[in-house]
């Protein structure tokens, strides 16, 4: 397996194998499955969890890792085709990716949405171009519209929490001061739909997910026996929910115009901070998930993050186990 750009790059058999291995790696984290292997990490955008968990995953399995963070000790990098590079960028990914691949057995890259053109970001072409430039195995560490490592860890988390595969998951918009990209909500939706869950996307009017994102999820749900629907009614959404997954995203109608989005979201601040009262008609044991980082008492109240429903730390922990299992799958860790 040479590319992990989206969860769909793992067929059902591989996915189950990686999930099972991730469970086992939680109990037995250290090994030599990556001995003699070098993994290169290129972060064009900031990170805590993805950066630290990838480094820990490689080193705990006996491998070596290098990290390149353009603009912070490395050359600023250009990603646009045909760019006239007379600005801050001194290096283009067209050279950087194949050069870094000379030094590594696998490259993993984070490159967020530009946030200017909705169609361009939804097409997720940039991460595909980077993968095409890489002659070695390649992992997407979050692109314009996919965060598959997050989705893999989240699936493992749902298994650990014994959430039924056909259980109810609510993916809810939450208030954030800035319009955020669709990578996490789109990947969460696809993951839950593929898992066979009853998924409800809850959002204020105007903050629906783009139609193509919903259509992809509905197609996955049709294959798995799940369902995907959306509503602006919180009580209806939360009825009998096993899981509330909080996230914020941009309004499609304002994409590329952050000031317009900020005007639209300004009145939603109080009502769309996730609080314990949101769970009034969920299952009593319903859990709360969030990919992190999270703005406390803006997006999610302390009472939820510090309460017994929250599984966000366990969820972040599974990034390590899931990515380690993925690396072993891609680099032949069974040697
Ligand atoms: N959830 C996640 O990807 O976290 P980071 O942005 O800190 O890597």
């Amino acid at each position: 397996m040479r590319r992990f750009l989206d969860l769909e790059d793992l067929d059902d058999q591989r996915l189950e194998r990686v999930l099972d291995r991730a469970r086992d790696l939680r109990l037995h984290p250290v090994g030599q499955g990556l001995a003699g292997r070098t993994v290169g990490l290129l972060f064009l955008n900031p990170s805590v969890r993805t950066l630290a968990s990838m480094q820990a995953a490689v080193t705990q399995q006996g491998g070596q890792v290098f990290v390149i963070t353009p603009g912070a000790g490395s050359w600023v990098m250009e990603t646009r085709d045909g760019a006239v590079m007379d600005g801050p960028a001194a290096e283009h990914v067209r050279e950087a990716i194949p050069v870094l691949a000379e030094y590594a057995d696998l490259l993993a890259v984070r490159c967020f949405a530009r946030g200017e053109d909705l169609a361009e970001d939804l097409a997720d072409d940039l991460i595909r171009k980077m993968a095409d430039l890489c002659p070695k195995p390649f992992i997407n560490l979050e692109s314009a519209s996919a965060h598959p490592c997050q989705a893999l860890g989240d699936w493992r988390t749902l298994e650990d929490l014994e959430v039924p595969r056909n259980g109810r998951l609510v993916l809810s918009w939450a208030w954030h001061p800035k319009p955020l990209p669709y990578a996490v909500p789109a990947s969460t939706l696809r993951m839950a739909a593929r898992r066979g869950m009853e998924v409800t996307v809850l959002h204020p009017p105007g903050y629906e997910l783009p139609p193509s994102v919903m259509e992809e999820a509905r197609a996955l749900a049709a294959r798995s026996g799940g369902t995907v629907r959306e509503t602006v009614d919180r009580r209806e959404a939360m009825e009998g929910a096993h899981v509330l997954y909080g996230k914020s995203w941009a309004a499609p109608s304002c994409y590329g115009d952050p000031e317009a989005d900020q005007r639209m979201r300004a009145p939603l601040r109080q009502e769309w901070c996730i609080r314990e009262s949101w769970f009034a008609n969920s299952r009593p044991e319903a859990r709360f998930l969030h990919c992190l980082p999270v703005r406390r008492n803006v997006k999610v109240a302390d009472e939820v993050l510090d309460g017994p429903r929250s599984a966000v730390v366990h969820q972040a922990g599974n990034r390590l186990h899931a990515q380690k299992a993925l690396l072993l799958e891609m680099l032949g860790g069974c040697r």
Side-chain angles (χ1 to χ4, degrees):
M1 182 185 159
R2 293 189 63 78
R3 283 184 176 190
F4 185 64
L5 300 185
D6 198 356
L7 200 59
E8 289 309 287
D9 289 325
L10 290 173
D11 62 26
D12 288 346
Q13 193 181 6
R14 274 184 196 265
L15 175 61
E16 295 295 344
R17 187 163 66 221
V18 170
L19 289 169
D20 287 351
R21 192 180 254 182
R23 177 200 57 213
D24 297 344
L25 285 163
R26 174 180 283 280
L27 299 173
H28 306 287
V30 177
Q32 288 298 310
L34 298 176
R37 303 295 191 140
T38 300
V39 171
L41 307 178
L42 173 59
F43 277 86
L44 290 150
N45 307 98
S47 169
V48 167
R49 278 142 294 274
T50 308
L51 173 59
S53 59
M54 284 297 287
Q55 291 185 90
V58 176
T59 54
Q60 288 175 12
Q61 285 295 316
Q64 307 290 323
V65 62
F66 65 79
V67 180
I68 302 293
T69 50
S74 301
W75 303 116
V76 174
M77 271 182 211
E78 180 59 73
T79 59
R80 294 165 201 259
D81 288 339
V84 177
M85 291 173 54
D86 56 1
E91 175 137 27
H92 201 287
V93 291
R94 292 186 72 84
E95 287 80 46
I97 294 276
V99 165
L100 293 174
E102 290 282 318
Y103 312 145
D105 297 295
L106 179 148
L107 276 190
V109 176
R110 167 167 282 196
C111 188
F112 286 174
R114 290 197 177 112
E116 296 165 4
D117 183 289
L118 179 58
E120 178 186 302
D121 285 344
L122 289 175
D124 224 2
D125 282 342
L126 182 55
I127 197 79
R128 289 177 208 292
K129 275 187 208 163
M130 296 220 228
D132 288 345
L133 290 166
C134 181
K136 302 278 178 68
F138 185 96
I139 293 177
N140 176 1
L141 296 180
E142 189 175 343
S143 60
S145 6
H147 196 351
C149 291
Q150 183 70 52
L152 193 59
D154 291 350
W155 189 314
R156 182 63 257 163
T157 302
L158 292 169
E159 299 293 319
D160 293 350
L161 298 177
E162 299 182 351
V163 176
R165 289 218 169 173
N166 63 354
R168 292 188 177 176
L169 182 143
V170 177
L171 171 62
S172 179
W173 189 87
W175 199 88
H176 188 281
K178 292 188 291 189
L180 298 181
Y182 298 116
V184 170
S187 284
T188 303
L189 187 55
R190 290 195 289 267
M191 176 276 294
R194 182 171 171 189
R195 195 170 177 265
M197 303 188 80
E198 283 183 39
V199 191
T200 302
V201 181
L202 170 64
H203 58 80
Y207 283 90
E208 62 281 354
L209 286 169
S212 64
V213 173
M214 296 298 289
E215 283 158 22
E216 281 173 6
R218 288 200 172 102
L220 290 164
R223 293 212 299 270
S224 66
T227 57
V228 173
R229 66 184 181 124
E230 62 183 320
T231 181
V232 298
D233 183 329
R234 184 174 307 143
R235 197 165 172 80
E236 178 196 326
M238 289 298 292
E239 180 72 43
H242 292 84
V243 177
L244 173 61
Y245 195 118
K247 192 70 188 85
S248 195
W249 57 83
S253 63
C254 300
Y255 205 82
D257 186 348
E259 288 79 21
D261 192 310
Q262 271 159 356
R263 285 194 296 275
M264 191 163 149
R265 69 179 53 210
L268 303 170
R269 179 168 180 163
Q270 290 305 319
E271 199 190 333
W272 288 87
C273 175
I274 296 173
R275 300 178 196 283
E276 178 60 25
S277 59
W278 286 36
F279 294 86
N281 63 334
S282 69
R283 288 176 175 265
E285 74 280 12
R287 304 303 297 267
F288 176 73
L289 297 180
H290 188 288
C291 64
L292 304 181
V294 64
R295 292 182 185 238
R296 280 177 172 255
N297 302 310
V298 172
K299 209 169 171 188
V300 185
D302 283 347
E303 64 195 19
V304 175
L305 288 166
D306 296 333
R309 299 185 186 287
S310 177
V312 298
V313 173
H314 182 90
Q315 183 185 4
N318 271 330
R319 296 291 305 280
L320 170 65
H321 314 306
Q323 287 154 202
K324 196 185 288 177
L326 177 69
L327 287 164
L328 292 169
E329 180 77 21
M330 292 182 73
L331 288 177
C334 294
R335 294 177 299 161

